Amino acid sequence: MNSGESHFHTRRSALATLIAAALLARGQPSLAAPAPQPGAARFGYDDVVAQARILGGRPFDSGGLTIPSELSKLTYDSYREIRFRREKALWQESGSDYRLLPFHLGFLHDKPVQLHVVKEGNAIPIPFTTSLFEYGKVPVPKQLSPSLGFAGFAVTTTLNDPKVQDEVISFLGASYFRLIGRGHRYGLSARSLALDVGGKQPEEFPFFRALWLEEPKADSLDLVIYALLDSPSVAGAFRYVVSPGRTTAMSVTATLVPRVEIPRIGIAPLTSMFLAGEGDLGHRTDFRPEIHDSDGLLMQNGSGEWIWRPIRNPASLRISSFGDRDPRGFGLMQRDREYGHYQDLEAHYHARPGYWVEPIGDWGEGRVDLIEIPTNNEAFDNIVTCWTPARPLDIGKASEFTYRITALSTTNELHAMAQVRNSFSGWDSRDPDADGMGKQRFIIDFGDGDLAYFVSDPKRVEIVASTTAGSIAHTIIAANSATKGFRVILDATLPVGQTADLRVYLKSRNRTLSETWTQSWSVPAPAVRDAPGHVVTRD
């Protein structure tokens, strides 16, 4: 911790540190703590908020954020050699199904996080010791301080089998965390806060200075975590309550104290990878038909409309904003769960979850932003979505946001309407014709909901299509017995140099049958030869 946090150290926490260090030195798997003194305050979220208020009221201090060079020089391969000894996992004697496993510092994980266990109301620091880790071919570091800290942690529980410990959540890197439900594989990530994503200046990455985990009891169902976040622009306190299960959920309370005005602050940000989907033949790098952690952004706006926006790997940075007030939910989803659509025996993209964010309380005016960044490598997350308030948060004042994140396998349980199952671009004639108009065909498959009822009489189903620019030239609807739904074909035209947002949904008389599919497209200015061998683009 930095000097600004010394106010919160007490004789009781110092004693707890010594006891914890002694137990770990003897190889004990769990921490002990002195009994709380009568009338003594129990550590909780208010204590973390108090620290965030103090940090936010002071200039950012980068002191204490370096690690020994022997750790920062670790390569990707050498860092992977270092593994936590599972037999030393904390909480083995708590009687609960939870186990705590810290991560070692090194490689890209170069900001130390101070980990604590809250036991009987006492916040007990977890001292670093090399005896907690196996180092493989990497030489065991020497003379590392017990106060070094860690890179983060993972928690395991009996998620998939009552007799087997599996990871359910991990915190690693800046303010990133991941959670999974039953049968899931890790895929996309959540972040506690995003700053200037897609902005004109470089993105700023807030990080955790300290994390606290309440030691679960034998009958504990939930896991409670506190975090102190810091960054040059903002300090913050977070409370996470994790509820593992078939659909693991996490309730989040965030208290943010900006040091400066932040034009683009992302609340409840999610980040994912999209390299190639069913409509991206040109982005495939090998035999696999599709390569992505998520395939679409799902939203329910404040008026109750459900909206589906397919994700793409764009040719250039693309930012889409959906203005709203008090959104009901948004998230990045992996709807396609068919193994055969991915053919990946290692990544298991078909088993990766989607994250659904449900705001709690009044979030006011703002927008859901979707940032799509070009990539040719599946190792990098290139998709970000978040809620951006309409006006910057007040400098020096605490602003609170509360929401819930759920790890889902399917979106069928979120609403009862028909959903977008696939969408493709058909023939593409965006090169303008003699009239200066580009043309493109879009194909959308709607399924589920109550569409099966209408398959025998497609004339009762109406396409509602609109565009913000250009025109809808032609639409076709056809029953699709394979999906028990309908296929929509839409031809759109657009003047050269313009961008349009398309919207399509199905209805029968005055009854809305489906969520709204939306997509943007553009007709770029043609390249012309301005001199021999010199090609330029005219705006």
Side-chain angles (χ1 to χ4, degrees), residues 111-186:
K111 284 188 172 58
V113 179
Q114 301 300 322
L115 297 185
H116 309 73
V117 169
V118 180
K119 184 177 176 68
E120 301 299 335
N122 295 298
I124 307 170
I126 303 176
F128 173 84
T129 171
T130 55
S131 65
L132 294 174
F133 298 91
E134 296 176 348
Y135 288 84
K137 300 177 182 179
V138 177
V140 178
K142 303 295 184 182
Q143 298 180 341
L144 295 180
S145 170
S147 63
L148 174 66
F150 298 89
F153 68 85
V155 172
T156 65
T157 191
T158 53
L159 181 64
N160 300 297
D161 188 313
K163 298 181 180 179
V164 178
Q165 287 282 325
D166 291 314
E167 278 192 33
V168 66
I169 189 167
S170 68
F171 279 65
L172 181 65
S175 68
Y176 286 75
F177 59 89
R178 298 195 290 181
L179 65 155
I180 52 177
R182 193 164 298 151
H184 291 160
R185 297 294 186 96
Y186 278 138

Side-chain angles (χ1 to χ4, degrees), residues 471-511:
S471 63
I472 307 297
H474 189 57
T475 61
I476 302 173
I477 187 168
N480 187 342
S481 59
T483 62
K484 297 181 181 179
F486 289 84
R487 170 165 289 184
V488 172
I489 299 175
L490 179 149
D491 296 338
T493 64
L494 188 65
V496 63
Q498 292 192 20
T499 297
D501 290 321
L502 298 169
R503 288 168 50 88
V504 176
Y505 68 92
L506 303 180
K507 74 173 186 176
S508 179
R509 296 177 180 173
N510 291 325
R511 177 187 170 196

